[in-house]
Amino acid sequence: MALNKVEICGVNTAKLPLLKNEDKDALFKRIKQGDQEARETYIKGNLRLVLSVIKRFSNSNENVDDLFQIGCIGLIKAIDNFDDTLNVKFSTYAVPMIIGEIRRYLRDNNSIRVSRSLRDIAYKAIYAKENLMKTSLKEPTIEDIEKEIGVPKEEIVHALDAIQSPVSLYDPVYSEGGDTLYVMDQISDKKNKEDNWVEDISLGEAMKKLSERQNYIIQLRFFQGKTQMEVAEEIGISQAQVSRLEKNALRCMKNYLV
């Protein structure tokens, strides 16, 4: 893949504009008001972001122009869904969106195609697994899934393996009301159950500044090593709400400790 090309999809990459932070803020306010010209300017001002992302796929045999176009789709989706009130840099939000869009494209256009019937079995198995976990509150076995969907376990395993693709910890997996959840949010931190690193940091006073619910979420997440989904199920709210409360709590603690 020739990433040293000066012109990609008719765009001279050597002359891509670079927006200042104050320009970004002003443009985003206009975008929220439906200003299409501001949206176009914002897209052009972030094309360098797309260019930097597609460099990560330099080992791909895909045409660089195609990847750039797909990356631009991810960029546009990020602009349309970004919430500038969450105190998160746009690039931090946009990069996983762009990567995810390119990965989906590479997966869907892979030379080794997964048949529709195999995909159907895999998706039925995933759906059944989620339902079984909700009812039994434990990880179902492959035999449990076999009974649930009436498909031999060998076919289930084969189907699930067929749709697997490598993912980044920063791949977005869910978005609700501007709160994006990433793969890393789904992973338990078992190490912190045994480590005593918190004893060396004065977190006690900082945690007293939190609301009762925020304090409880921090306890579950970082002291008991639970995932956001597990916390959500325990306290009866959505995972997106857990993510929002967790971020606010950490921000509050950081401000106190600093």
Side-chain angles (χ1 to χ4, degrees):
M1 185 169 71
L3 280 173
N4 58 344
K5 291 176 63 176
V6 175
E7 188 170 291
I8 300 177
C9 296
V11 177
N12 189 333
T13 59
K15 296 182 179 180
L16 288 176
L18 189 62
L19 296 175
K20 296 179 181 178
N21 287 333
E22 54 268 28
D23 294 334
K24 291 180 181 179
D25 294 340
L27 283 170
F28 219 87
K29 288 179 182 178
R30 289 169 54 193
I31 291 172
K32 282 188 171 182
Q33 295 170 356
D35 190 326
Q36 291 301 311
E37 185 180 346
R39 184 171 178 269
E40 188 71 22
T41 302
Y42 203 88
I43 292 170
K44 290 179 179 178
N46 282 281
L47 289 179
R48 288 178 183 270
L49 207 56
V50 177
L51 196 61
S52 68
V53 168
I54 65 175
K55 287 179 181 178
R56 302 186 186 193
F57 298 88
S58 57
N59 293 327
S60 168
N61 293 323
E62 292 292 329
N63 183 283
V64 65
D65 295 77
D66 292 339
L67 290 186
F68 188 75
Q69 288 184 48
I70 300 302
C72 287
I73 293 173
L75 172 64
I76 292 169
K77 287 183 178 180
I79 292 172
D80 291 343
N81 291 284
F82 182 59
D83 185 346
D84 61 339
T85 65
L86 293 178
N87 197 26
V88 175
K89 288 178 63 177
F90 174 73
S91 58
T92 303
Y93 177 83
V95 167
M97 295 282 282
I98 298 169
I99 292 175
E101 200 67 32
I102 292 174
R103 281 215 170 108
R104 276 189 292 275
Y105 169 78
L106 292 176
R107 180 191 63 211
D108 294 342
N109 288 274
N110 196 294
S111 56
I112 303 174
R113 298 281 179 155
V114 180
S115 70
R116 178 63 182 272
S117 60
L118 212 54
R119 284 183 180 273
D120 286 345
I121 292 173
Y123 295 145
K124 284 179 182 177
I126 293 170
Y127 184 71
K129 179 181 178 181
E130 291 176 351
N131 285 336
L132 289 168
M133 286 181 69
K134 288 178 183 178
T135 54
S136 65
L137 300 180
K138 66 178 182 179
E139 185 85 11
T141 65
I142 194 69
E143 286 80 11
D144 293 332
I145 298 173
E146 178 184 29
K147 292 177 183 177
E148 183 72 13
I149 65 175
V151 175
K153 60 185 179 183
E154 293 80 11
E155 290 185 28
I156 295 172
V157 172
H158 179 53
L160 291 174
D161 285 342
I163 65 168
Q164 294 301 311
S165 59
V167 296
S168 163
L169 287 176
Y170 297 95
D171 276 355
V173 295
Y174 178 74
S175 181
E176 179 182 290
D179 292 297
T180 301
L181 305 178
Y182 301 98
V183 172
M184 65 185 301
D185 293 327
Q186 312 279 54
I187 301 173
S188 297
D189 185 2
K190 304 298 183 184
K191 182 180 69 175
N192 286 336
K193 290 184 178 180
E194 291 82 25
D195 287 358
N196 296 319
W197 60 272
V198 291
E199 294 179 0
D200 301 323
I201 307 175
S202 56
L203 292 178
E205 290 301 315
M207 290 188 67
K208 289 179 182 178
K209 303 295 180 182
L210 305 178
S211 67
E212 184 177 348
R213 174 174 277 187
Q214 286 177 324
N215 194 303
Y216 189 46
I217 288 173
I218 295 298
Q219 291 281 350
L220 292 176
R221 283 282 286 143
F222 299 102
F223 291 82
Q224 296 185 30
K226 294 193 174 185
T227 66
Q228 288 186 346
M229 181 61 78
E230 290 170 334
V231 174
E233 290 178 353
E234 180 158 335
I235 64 179
I237 61 177
S238 71
Q239 186 175 356
Q241 288 175 298
V242 171
S243 175
R244 189 182 306 117
L245 288 166
E246 179 185 313
K247 288 173 184 175
N248 289 338
L250 293 175
R251 189 180 302 120
C252 177
M253 292 170 67
K254 179 182 176 182
N255 291 338
Y256 179 82
L257 291 170
V258 172

